[in-house]
Amino acid sequence: MNSPASGKTRARKEVVEDLTAAIIAIENELGTDPAGSLSDVKTFLQLQHNTDGTHKNTHGPHFYIDEANHANFSAAVTAAANKVLVITRSINLDANTTIPSTTSIMPVNPGIINANGFTLTINGPVVGNPMHKWLSGFSAGGFIFESRQLIDPIWTGFAEGSGLGAANSTAWSVMMNALPSANRRPMIWVSYGRYEIAGDPAILIDRSCTIFWNKAIFIQTDYSQNHVAVKINKGTTGVSLSEVTIHEPVITNGLGGAVDYARLNTSGGTAEGSGLVVKGCSGLIIHHPFIDGFRQNLYFTDEVGGDSTSLIEIHSPQLRNGLYDFYVRPGGTSVNAINVFGGAIENNAACSGANARLVLLDGRDGTQGSDGINFHGTTIQNVNAASPTKIEIKKVDSCRFSGAYYDQTAGGGADIIIDSDCNDIVFSDGEGLVLQRFVDNGVDTRFELPGMEYYTRDISAEGSFFTFTPQQSCLKVIKFTGVLAEAINIYVQKNKTQYTVYNNTTGAYSLWVYVVGGAGAGIQVLQGEAAILYCDGTDIVMVNKRMTAQADSVATTVAGIVTDFNTLLGKLRTAKLLIT
């Protein structure tokens, strides 16, 4: 300045060249058009950078949209179309929001979506396996999962810890109400742990779903009331409940095993409530349930005037220390088709009430009764001599105990009590051999061995021979009647078995018994004679001395056979049975 004269500056070549060199250097570094199609370089740069110079999460092989980079949650959802929306902070909904099926959502701890009075519908998948509560402030029905995926109740606040029973039950309700009501069979994953629950019911399962319980322990802290810990029922959905599958549930009371048996053993009142109640559900499958210390551990009933309970499978149950461990009692229509496979139903020494039953099947209150309740290879035992009754059955038809073991308790009472209005109650050895069968033929009720029915056959029109079918050859007590016009040969199949044959025919002709295709000489049964015969597969031999049948001789003989056969029945032979 001011050189060579005041107010003037002499231009020197070096200054101009320096400025030119700087501009050329910038052009070489940035290119001739660094802003591209945008208004300036700043705008261009901030497409990929935050104002603090950090990169935005829009690079890489997959696009991740950070919710924090947008003005509000709605804007973030819009920007995340066909991308992954990442939640890394606590964010409030600013409107009722739907996440489309083309958008994945990734909550990263401590990321939380707060309801803020709005609803949320998630159509896209949840990714990243979040293991924390990331949905907060939602009421039941406040958000909906429409995607078919694995859902964890931890997401809504289900947590381990003391004093969380009511909060956990609320968190479960919010999660269950978020499942689609349509039959999409969503899957619920319960992480292993100890979770307190409270309420009536504390846990409601009212949607078709598959639950992987993973032996997580649900502890009902409302044990002092007549409340239900877990209930499977359509609830308020109005949709008939079906197709529910549960794996490895564990349900117990909040007493740490110190069950109040004095209250539990009372015949009524508020004794410990129920562990798992199934009401008005069909198509239920439960694998490996463990239920301990409730008045009714596993209780099946139905909707009064509504849905029946049927088509149930229980695999390997462990039911312990309840007043009624396995309890069936319809209240309106019926409870049918329940199959129990394996497992154990048992009480310890403390559960000593006279009313205690390991298995109580009571169909009296159902308009259609109950039938088709079967146990396959299940152990039913009670170590307490003060409450020996294991099984009581009332107004139930077609019930099977196949290969089921139950112990016989010393002392008074009966191991099995069967009401006279039952029919077709069968005990078998698990391999097809029927040991005993309880029947109601409309005249009387009784236990009988298979094939011991008193079968009468009029053979007056059969001619010279009559051949038993394979089914008829399974009969054990046979009475022949009619007037013979000629001698008759009776042929039985090649079963190795024993028969009692009573020849009550008339006419001056003989009756012989042979084996079909056998080479033996056969046995003649004289008129008026009852004979015990044995078939060895090729021939018939007489077991007893010849005797003339009296009016009650067949019944007496049958009773003797039953007595003899009962000595071969293993554990069942010593059971005490009470038929009322």
Side-chain angles (χ1 to χ4, degrees):
M1 294 291 292
N2 301 319
S3 176
S6 177
K8 296 181 181 179
T9 300
R10 179 179 293 175
R12 293 182 173 86
K13 179 171 77 95
E14 292 83 357
V15 174
V16 174
E17 289 176 348
D18 288 346
L19 292 174
T20 301
I23 292 172
I24 292 172
I26 292 172
E27 289 179 345
N28 288 337
E29 182 70 23
L30 298 181
T32 57
D33 189 12
S37 61
L38 301 181
S39 59
D40 51 48
V41 175
K42 175 184 177 181
T43 303
F44 179 85
L45 292 176
Q46 289 188 353
L47 283 178
Q48 293 291 325
H49 294 79
N50 298 312
T51 56
D52 61 359
T54 59
H55 283 278
K56 294 180 178 180
N57 292 327
T58 55
H59 58 281
H62 301 286
F63 286 167
Y64 292 87
I65 302 299
D66 191 340
E67 168 277 326
N69 294 329
H70 299 272
N72 52 48
F73 193 75
S74 295
V77 171
T78 300
N82 300 308
K83 300 179 178 66
V84 178
L85 178 60
V86 181
I87 312 296
T88 59
R89 62 171 182 166
S90 180
I91 180 66
N92 294 331
L93 292 182
D94 58 286
N96 293 335
T97 304
T98 297
I99 297 177
S101 59
T102 56
T103 297
S104 299
I105 184 168
M106 177 189 284
V108 178
N109 198 10
I112 297 176
I113 300 175
N114 299 291
N116 196 31
F118 296 102
T119 62
L120 175 64
T121 300
I122 301 176
N123 290 322
V126 178
V127 298
N129 190 29
M131 296 296 293
H132 70 289
K133 178 181 179 179
W134 58 274
L135 293 161
S136 179
F138 291 94
S139 59
F143 81 94
I144 298 175
F145 283 109
E146 288 292 354
S147 62
R148 183 178 304 198
Q149 65 173 64
L150 206 62
I151 299 168
D152 195 327
I154 288 177
W155 297 352
T156 55
F158 207 70
E160 295 186 80
S162 178
L164 298 179
N168 279 339
S169 295
T170 298
W172 182 278
S173 177
V174 171
M175 182 224 34
M176 184 59 61
N177 277 275
L179 303 183
S181 57
N183 189 18
R184 296 189 182 182
R185 295 293 302 277
M187 295 178 290
I188 299 171
W189 180 274
V190 182
S191 298
Y192 176 76
R194 297 175 62 88
Y195 303 94
E196 292 186 355
I197 56 176
D200 183 28
I203 298 294
L204 177 63
I205 301 169
D206 60 357
R207 310 293 174 98
S208 297
C209 60
T210 297
I211 302 177
F212 297 93
W213 208 293
N214 299 311
K215 295 185 179 179
I217 303 170
F218 282 25
I219 306 167
Q220 168 66 298
T221 57
D222 241 346
Y223 57 84
S224 62
Q225 300 295 320
N226 194 18
H227 286 177
V228 175
V230 179
K231 187 176 186 179
I232 302 175
N233 177 245
K234 68 181 179 183
T236 60
T237 66
V239 179
S240 295
L241 186 59
S242 64
E243 297 188 32
V244 175
T245 302
I246 303 176
H247 297 268
E248 299 183 306
V250 178
I251 307 168
T252 185
N253 60 61
L255 295 172
V259 180
D260 187 346
Y261 288 103
R263 184 168 68 249
L264 184 71
N265 293 326
T266 60
S267 59
T270 59
E272 307 298 347
S274 301
L276 174 58
V277 174
V278 180
K279 185 176 184 179
C281 177
S282 63
L284 168 68
I285 302 174
I286 305 178
H287 296 276
H288 306 287
F290 179 94
I291 309 174
D292 183 19
F294 294 92
R295 181 175 176 81
Q296 293 91 215
N297 276 333
L298 182 53
Y299 179 21
F300 298 91
T301 185
D302 58 5
E303 296 276 4
V304 176
D307 296 333
S308 62
T309 295
S310 62
L311 302 176
I312 309 295
E313 292 182 17
I314 310 295
H315 296 265
S316 301
Q318 297 292 317
L319 310 178
R320 297 173 42 187
N321 306 326
L323 185 66
Y324 309 128
D325 287 285
F326 188 97
Y327 186 27
V328 172
R329 186 162 189 171
T333 52
S334 63
V335 177
N336 300 306
I338 300 177
N339 284 281
V340 181
F341 301 93
I345 304 173
E346 55 190 356
N347 281 350
N348 64 23
C351 192
S352 59
N355 298 312
R357 301 288 185 268
L358 293 167
V359 175
L360 176 57
L361 311 179
D362 188 349
R364 293 175 298 172
D365 293 337
T367 58
Q368 301 175 27
S370 293
D371 56 63
I373 302 172
N374 308 306
F375 296 82
H376 309 273
T378 306
T379 297
I380 303 171
Q381 63 182 352
N382 190 343
V383 300
N384 194 303
S387 53
T389 301
K390 315 303 181 304
I391 303 167
E392 184 169 5
I393 306 174
K394 303 177 180 181
K395 197 179 179 182
V396 174
D397 297 337
S398 301
C399 181
R400 301 289 186 271
F401 291 84
S402 175
Y405 166 84
Y406 62 92
D407 65 331
Q408 286 74 53
T409 307
D415 291 305
I416 305 174
I417 299 176
I418 300 180
D419 238 15
S420 59
D421 55 1
C422 298
N423 185 38
D424 195 22
I425 311 299
V426 174
F427 297 84
S428 68
D429 68 349
E431 296 182 358
L433 175 62
V434 176
L435 303 179
Q436 284 189 327
R437 180 170 178 259
F438 181 84
V439 297
D440 180 357
N441 61 5
V443 178
D444 59 3
T445 54
R446 61 183 182 269
F447 260 103
E448 59 187 26
L449 297 178
M452 286 297 178
E453 295 88 349
Y454 189 8
Y455 176 70
T456 300
R457 178 78 185 197
D458 184 344
I459 54 175
S460 57
E462 299 296 342
S464 62
F465 70 94
F466 173 70
T467 303
F468 270 33
T469 66
Q471 292 76 20
Q472 290 171 329
S473 291
C474 292
L475 299 167
K476 301 295 184 293
V477 183
I478 307 162
K479 178 182 178 180
F480 293 109
T481 63
V483 180
L484 298 181
E486 57 184 309
I488 187 169
N489 295 333
I490 305 296
Y491 291 92
V492 297
Q493 300 295 324
K494 297 179 180 180
N495 301 343
K496 292 184 178 181
T497 187
Q498 181 173 288
Y499 298 97
T500 298
V501 178
Y502 175 25
N503 182 357
N504 196 36
T505 63
T506 59
Y509 297 99
S510 61
L511 182 150
W512 288 74
V513 181
Y514 295 91
V515 177
V516 172
I523 292 293
Q524 181 182 10
V525 181
L526 303 177
Q527 288 181 339
E529 180 181 75
I532 300 177
L533 309 179
Y534 177 73
C535 174
D536 63 5
T538 58
D539 198 3
I540 288 284
V541 297
M542 182 175 289
V543 176
N544 65 310
K545 296 180 180 179
R546 293 188 178 274
M547 60 183 180
T548 301
Q550 304 299 319
D552 62 348
S553 63
V554 172
T556 302
T557 302
V558 172
I561 294 172
V562 172
T563 301
D564 292 340
F565 192 72
N566 268 337
T567 63
L568 305 176
L569 298 185
K571 296 293 289 185
L572 190 61
R573 72 180 185 276
T574 60
K576 292 167 289 208
L577 300 174
L578 175 63
I579 301 174
T580 61

